[in-house]
Amino acid sequence: RKLYYSALACGASMLDRVCVVGSSGVVRWSKEWAPADGGGDIVGELICRVLLEERAAAYGGGGGGVGLYSDGKATVRWVVLNEANLLVAAVHQASLVLPYVEALLRETAGAFAARQQALPPEAHDGLFPCDAFSPAFDALVAAAEERAAG
């Protein structure tokens, strides 16, 4: 049975991790609230088993939609911005359903792409660690959680 939580009611984000990855595989920005259960890397699995094998449409991530991949313990939702060469992924426990994650992914992708667009293309992989993005992301999370709660 899936559990529905409002992150505001629990007092903290229910996400385990959010990351922005460039098409070259470089992690450009990441925020982690909880370590991966069992030490696995579900974002790495997503990239290897779904995206590199061009199976994204089978997981709902084709055509700019938000995809969903789970290994039974954790779930990763993702969106790809082809025009910006970005993958934005959010990881949470598989037992949770977080209704705000899809909007948060899209907003995060747009905000990070706008930040990246201000740089010349050859500097994009030099964005990591992009700590300057963290306050903007925290504001996006707070707004998404507030919309979901209210």
Side-chain angles (χ1 to χ4, degrees):
R1 185 177 108 150
K2 297 281 185 183
L3 301 175
Y4 291 82
Y5 286 105
S6 163
L8 289 177
C10 297
S13 177
M14 300 299 290
L15 294 170
D16 293 343
R17 180 178 179 208
V18 175
C19 61
V20 178
V21 181
S23 60
S24 64
V26 173
V27 177
R28 296 192 180 154
W29 176 85
S30 182
K31 182 166 185 169
E32 188 171 2
W33 291 269
D37 189 18
D41 179 12
I42 192 166
V43 176
E45 284 184 37
L46 165 71
I47 292 169
C48 292
R49 295 185 180 175
V50 178
L51 300 177
L52 291 179
E53 293 180 13
E54 298 183 9
R55 295 173 28 194
Y59 292 90
V66 175
L68 183 139
Y69 175 77
S70 181
D71 66 3
K73 292 182 181 179
T75 295
V76 60
R77 292 176 185 257
W78 82 89
V79 65
V80 174
L81 267 86
N82 287 325
E83 64 277 2
N85 295 315
L86 294 175
L87 162 74
V88 181
V91 179
H92 59 84
Q93 294 176 19
S95 60
L96 300 177
V97 176
L98 304 176
Y100 63 89
V101 172
E102 289 189 19
L104 177 62
L105 284 170
R106 288 188 181 100
E107 292 166 3
T108 301
F112 196 90
R115 181 177 298 273
Q116 174 181 276
Q117 193 172 27
L119 298 172
E122 61 274 6
H124 290 182
D125 283 343
L127 281 176
F128 183 76
C130 188
D131 294 333
F133 184 68
S134 293
F137 175 75
D138 291 341
L140 291 172
V141 171
E145 290 176 343
E146 187 173 321
R147 284 191 308 270

